[in-house]
Amino acid sequence: MSARRRHSLVFRSLVLTLTLVAIGWHCPRQAVADSFDKLDTSLKLIPGDAAFYASVLRNRECFEAIRQSSAVAKILEMPIVQTGIMFYNIQLATPESNVAKFDAFLKNPESRKLLNMAADMASDEVFLYGDKSFADFVKLFQAVNAARTYAPLMALAGGHATQMSPNQMQAKAMMASLAKNASLINVPDLVLGFKVKDIDLAKEQLIKLEMIVNLTLQGAGVDEKIINRFKKTKVGDYDFLVADLDGSLIPWDAVPLERFKELEAQPGDAQKIIDRIKKCKLVVAIGLRGNYLLCSIGSSLDCLHKLGQSQRLLDRAEFKPLGKYVDKRLVYVGYMSEAIGRQLNNQKKQLDDLLEAVDQLLPSSKLDDKQKDRIRKDVKSLTADLKTLAPDAGAVMGFSFITDRGIEGYRYVWGGHGSLDGSKPLGLLEYVGGNPLMGLVARQKIDVKSYDLLVKWAKTGYGYFRDFAMPAMKPDERKKAEKFIAAALPTIERLDKVNREMLLPALADGQSAVLIDQKLSTKKLFAAMPAAEKAMPIVEPAIVVGLSDAGLFKKALSEYRTGVNQLIDAVRNIEGSDVPANVRIPDPEVTKNSQGTIYSFKLPEDWSVDKQIIPNVAVSDKVALFTISRAHTDRLLAKKPLSVGGVLAKPERPLATAGWLNWAGVMDAAAPWIDLAISEKMEERGVEDVQQAATLTQVHMAIDVLKVLRSITSENYLEDKAMVQHTLVELKDVEK
């Protein structure tokens, strides 16, 4: 082969390779773009720098589904509803009644147009969008709220608490905060949008609105300069009715400025706020953009101008997960930017506010300089420690859609996820009893550093109690406190060692669950309760924790029982204490079987509680249980796959949390108790049996309607650095 042919072949191969690479790069992006092209929502209009966005869709479809449901038909069949309809019709037949006048208003042609317009606006999509200026508004709100929160404390320390009411203290602090942050005072840009089908009707109503506003302003004798601020304005290619106002239009001469100056923390605070408000603009606009009726409010029309620009919110990486669900019947789409997320969930800023409040409080307090320095140093150290535990907030994007089973949704949260650990499957789901009424299972990172911080600040808090609170006690009270502390400190120190060397290593697995079930029943739960005709459900709460070392956990339990009893004895030995001798954690009845060790604590006979109720702790190789009945313990110890369905039908993948609520089961469990309570109340009032039966029938009909919500299942898992919450709300119409 000649050199020229070899070079030609290499060149063609290189071109082919680059072409394939280009196709490989561009095809997926084009596929994503094509998938988003299927969306017919306002999301395509929202600019990429939006602070937040929320859209509710398919409103008429959802309304019609509800209106035509058997549940609504059943509600309308209820005697109490039929009685209400009958009274309405009687009022309707009386021309002078309010009902008849309201009906006449509804039938008026002009009223019908307004109502049809309102129905059209709400029928398809309603959205709200805020631009990045909203971040300053949130920052200002949080600063003012922090001032309001800490105001009473600062006034108390400064000796001003008796001179002002709590409201005055808060108003003064809020004014000071507003003056300090005057540059943030502004009207945030917001757009409220409605998708409409009847464009001609919308245009007709906008023309009427323009006429009404102009006639009203002219008839009221408003200054011509103000009237000229309300006019039709082009925003891009679209006409909007715009009211362009500013703070200078406020009749400041009529404002009681002296009353505001009375609340000044520093001279000139009120004037700073007023000067800023005078410069602020308020621009309100309403108009049609295509098939969207838009209403905006803000400091300019920028939020309207930016709609539909090339840099779209939809093109942000956060919306990539939505691409797989564009063919679904979406009913909600929402977004919050990282900037707003950090501002709203800024725990570090809240800690800084606390530190700032202390710095403002201490100079006016009656403490000596050494005490002030100590407090300032400790608070600064505390805020620094707590900041290490505060996760960084990130952007949030979510959506939900209609399925044959109900409403399914996803919520993606970026940023830090705290102590949640989604690296492994939740093995604890095999120890929840299969299908309890409700439950939440989670795995968290067990961090000894967090415990160390807790101990550190518990000791610091005790130091303040010892050095500040105890000297202020009366001599006899201080003597009792000193005696209790002397007796309790050795026990507390030993329990700290138990936590560090036994409990935390035993719980290193990090899994825990809170459960509520109902598979036991009784006719008489306790002696004072009248016996029921049929067995009533018993609510069975339980706590389950995963174990990494069952032996250490057992030792920790034994140490805790001893330690708690010693603390009770320390209280009992204080002069004047009336703690009964039998108040203590008794020795448990220990039972061992193939599933584990069960420690049962029988209730005193004189309590007369159903014998099935026996608080107990069970420990196996993998889990520890805390329940109120042996039957529940046996069910939990027997490994059984979770069978609640929904998004948890196959929970074998790594999860951070799994939660569920069997609402229909809750209502079934509550129904007998509701019947009993209503029957007893009617018996007390002497209601006849026929009326009792009719009332209970209506109650059962209401319960059936409430059971349209069958269940809620939810899971949290990690996906591409985001914590994803996947939820299914299952709905089922009542039987005809």
Side-chain angles (χ1 to χ4, degrees):
M1 184 181 293
S2 67
R4 173 180 288 184
R5 289 190 63 189
R6 285 198 301 270
H7 291 161
S8 176
L9 181 59
V10 170
F11 177 76
R12 281 182 290 177
S13 299
L14 180 60
V15 170
L16 178 60
T17 301
L18 291 174
T19 301
L20 291 174
V21 169
I23 292 173
W25 274 101
H26 289 288
C27 279
R29 295 186 180 185
Q30 185 62 43
V32 171
D34 289 344
S35 66
F36 283 144
D37 286 342
K38 298 176 184 178
L39 285 175
D40 184 21
T41 76
S42 59
L43 185 56
K44 290 185 175 181
L45 298 176
I46 308 303
D49 63 352
F52 70 88
Y53 166 79
S55 174
V56 182
L57 307 104
R58 302 181 184 274
N59 301 314
R60 182 183 291 277
E61 181 181 336
C62 294
F63 174 78
E64 288 298 322
I66 295 171
R67 187 180 67 83
Q68 298 174 18
S69 67
S70 298
V72 169
K74 196 160 193 173
I75 291 173
L76 294 175
E77 292 172 2
M78 295 174 64
I80 190 171
V81 176
Q82 288 292 319
T83 301
I85 294 173
M86 180 185 69
F87 279 114
Y88 177 84
N89 289 329
I90 292 172
Q91 291 290 310
L92 190 61
T94 306
E96 297 303 317
S97 68
N98 291 330
V99 171
K101 292 177 181 178
F102 179 67
D103 185 67
F105 167 78
L106 294 179
K107 292 178 179 178
N108 181 282
E110 291 302 315
S111 299
R112 291 303 311 167
K113 287 184 178 181
L114 283 173
L115 292 172
N116 289 339
M117 178 72 179
D120 191 19
M121 290 167 60
S123 65
D124 193 344
E125 179 188 5
V126 179
F127 76 88
L128 180 65
Y129 141 67
D131 80 352
K132 57 184 180 181
S133 65
F134 198 76
D136 285 344
F137 174 78
V138 173
K139 186 176 181 180
L140 177 64
F141 172 81
Q142 291 181 326
V144 173
N145 187 58
R148 180 192 63 81
T149 301
Y150 297 123
L153 181 61
M154 289 188 286
L156 181 65
H160 308 302
T162 58
Q163 303 170 18
M164 295 183 291
S165 69
N167 289 339
Q168 287 175 318
M169 296 179 207
Q170 292 176 335
K172 192 166 187 174
M174 291 166 69
M175 178 172 284
S177 181
L178 282 170
K180 181 180 178 181
N181 298 282
S183 62
L184 298 177
I185 299 176
N186 214 344
V187 181
D189 292 338
L190 301 171
V191 177
L192 178 63
F194 307 88
K195 191 173 186 179
V196 295
K197 292 182 178 179
D198 195 335
I199 304 297
D200 291 337
L201 178 59
K203 289 180 179 179
E204 179 185 339
Q205 296 304 313
L206 287 173
I207 291 172
K208 289 181 180 179
L209 174 63
E210 183 179 11
M211 292 174 58
I212 291 170
V213 172
N214 282 324
L215 290 173
T216 301
L217 291 176
Q218 291 172 7
V222 177
D223 189 278
E224 191 69 24
K225 292 181 180 179
I226 297 179
I227 294 177
N228 291 337
R229 288 174 176 260
F230 177 78
K231 57 187 177 181
K232 188 172 288 186
T233 304
K234 280 281 187 182
V235 179
D237 297 329
Y238 307 97
D239 290 327
F240 279 80
L241 300 177
V242 178
D244 190 348
L245 311 172
D246 59 58
S248 65
L249 298 175
I250 297 174
W252 292 105
D253 294 339
V255 176
L257 298 181
E258 293 304 319
R259 294 188 61 183
F260 285 100
K261 290 181 179 180
E262 291 174 0
L263 296 172
E264 288 183 331
Q266 297 292 332
D269 279 355
Q271 194 60 47
K272 285 182 183 178
I273 298 170
I274 291 170
D275 290 344
R276 176 61 184 175
I277 293 175
K278 285 181 178 180
K279 295 178 182 178
C280 289
K281 297 193 69 175
L282 172 63
V283 182
V284 181
I286 182 170
L288 276 168
R289 179 193 169 101
N291 58 346
Y292 281 97
L293 177 65
L294 304 177
C295 307
S296 76
I297 181 172
S299 56
S300 70
L301 293 175
D302 287 350
C303 53
L304 289 176
H305 280 291
K306 290 192 294 185
L307 291 175
Q309 298 300 311
S310 57
Q311 186 181 9
R312 304 180 302 174
L313 182 64
L314 190 61
D315 298 325
R316 291 186 64 91
E318 290 92 336
F319 277 86
K320 182 180 178 181
L322 179 60
K324 296 183 292 184
Y325 300 92
V326 293
D327 292 326
K328 301 293 185 180
R329 296 155 66 193
L330 291 168
V331 292
Y332 170 78
V333 179
Y335 167 80
M336 182 173 67
S337 71
E338 180 178 338
I340 290 296
R342 289 180 181 275
Q343 197 65 50
L344 289 174
N345 301 291
N346 197 343
Q347 298 175 26
K348 295 179 181 179
K349 177 63 170 61
Q350 294 171 12
L351 292 169
D352 287 337
D353 289 339
L354 171 62
L355 184 58
E356 183 178 344
V358 171
D359 284 337
Q360 293 179 25
L361 179 154
L362 285 176
S364 58
S365 72
K366 299 177 181 179
L367 302 173
D368 60 43
D369 290 341
K370 186 176 180 181
Q371 291 172 324
K372 291 178 182 178
D373 289 341
R374 175 183 174 183
I375 293 174
R376 185 179 289 108
K377 179 182 177 182
D378 284 340
V379 172
K380 187 175 181 179
S381 178
L382 173 62
T383 56
D385 284 345
L386 292 178
K387 283 182 179 180
T388 65
L389 304 177
D392 291 327
V396 179
M397 190 278 293
F399 54 89
S400 56
F401 49 87
I402 300 172
T403 73
D404 293 338
R405 300 172 65 181
I407 305 292
E408 187 171 358
Y410 290 84
R411 184 171 181 264
Y412 291 75
V413 181
W414 287 269
H417 309 301
S419 61
L420 282 179
D421 182 1
S423 62
K424 294 180 286 187
L426 294 172
L428 211 60
L429 291 173
E430 294 184 337
Y431 295 93
V432 297
N435 60 346
L437 290 180
M438 63 182 76
L440 176 63
V441 181
R443 172 179 274 113
Q444 294 180 300
K445 299 171 185 175
I446 302 299
D447 187 1
V448 177
K449 292 182 180 179
S450 298
Y451 177 74
D452 288 340
L453 287 181
L454 176 64
V455 172
K456 171 186 173 181
W457 290 107
K459 290 179 178 178
T460 302
Y462 166 68
Y464 278 96
F465 172 77
R466 180 194 60 213
D467 299 339
F468 289 81
M470 288 184 65
M473 291 181 176
K474 294 179 180 179
D476 58 332
E477 292 177 347
R478 184 167 63 251
K479 183 177 180 181
K480 291 178 181 179
E482 290 172 346
K483 182 176 181 180
F484 171 76
I485 290 171
L489 275 180
T491 299
I492 293 173
E493 290 172 356
R494 191 171 73 253
L495 291 179
D496 173 41
K497 186 176 180 181
V498 169
N499 289 338
R500 196 178 303 279
E501 298 179 2
M502 297 181 186
L503 189 62
L504 290 177
L507 300 178
D509 175 69
Q511 293 185 89
S512 60
V514 178
L515 309 170
I516 293 181
D517 208 345
Q518 178 276 301
K519 291 185 173 66
L520 295 182
S521 59
T522 181
K523 289 187 176 181
K524 194 171 185 179
L525 185 58
F526 48 87
M529 172 184 168
E533 293 183 3
K534 57 182 180 180
M536 308 287 283
I538 298 176
V539 175
E540 299 175 277
I543 296 174
V544 186
V545 294
L547 296 181
S548 295
D549 192 321
L552 279 180
F553 187 78
K554 290 179 180 179
K555 291 180 180 178
L557 285 181
S558 177
E559 290 289 339
Y560 261 97
R561 187 174 72 85
T562 301
V564 171
N565 284 335
Q566 288 176 345
L567 292 176
I568 293 173
D569 288 339
V571 175
R572 184 182 290 114
N573 292 332
I574 296 175
E575 184 180 350
S577 171
D578 56 355
V579 178
N582 61 346
V583 173
R584 60 187 300 103
I585 301 177
D587 293 336
E589 179 183 301
V590 182
T591 305
K592 293 185 178 181
N593 56 32
S594 59
Q595 295 176 325
T597 305
I598 302 171
Y599 305 89
S600 301
F601 300 86
K602 290 186 177 181
L603 299 176
E605 289 289 337
D606 57 358
W607 288 16
S608 301
V609 177
D610 189 301
K611 299 294 184 183
Q612 297 177 96
I613 306 302
I614 305 175
N616 61 94
V617 181
V619 182
S620 72
D621 291 339
K622 298 291 185 181
V623 298
L625 318 170
F626 302 83
T627 73
I628 65 166
S629 74
R630 282 293 303 272
H632 198 187
T633 293
D634 292 340
R635 294 200 308 271
L636 297 178
L637 283 177
K639 289 180 63 175
K640 188 176 182 180
L642 185 70
S643 58
V644 297
V647 301
L648 298 174
K650 296 180 179 180
E652 295 84 8
R653 66 172 170 172
L655 295 175
T657 71
W660 62 93
L661 167 63
N662 179 359
W663 176 251
V666 170
M667 295 310 301
D668 286 337
W673 291 101
I674 294 173
D675 283 356
L676 181 63
I678 292 175
S679 296
E680 288 185 355
K681 185 61 66 175
M682 288 192 294
E683 285 286 349
E684 291 176 6
R685 296 182 177 181
V687 178
E688 296 181 357
D689 292 345
V690 174
Q691 183 60 40
Q692 286 191 34
T695 300
L696 291 176
T697 298
Q698 292 189 72
V699 170
H700 295 162
M701 292 174 71
I703 290 174
D704 286 343
V705 171
L706 290 173
K707 286 168 59 179
V708 165
L709 170 58
R710 305 302 295 177
S711 66
I712 302 174
T713 51
S714 179
E715 61 180 356
N716 276 276
Y717 57 89
L718 288 171
E719 181 181 292
D720 295 333
K721 298 182 180 180
M723 183 64 75
V724 184
Q725 183 181 46
H726 179 201
T727 303
L728 175 62
V729 179
E730 296 193 64
L731 306 169
K732 184 179 179 181
D733 201 1
V734 300
E735 296 181 1
K736 295 183 179 180

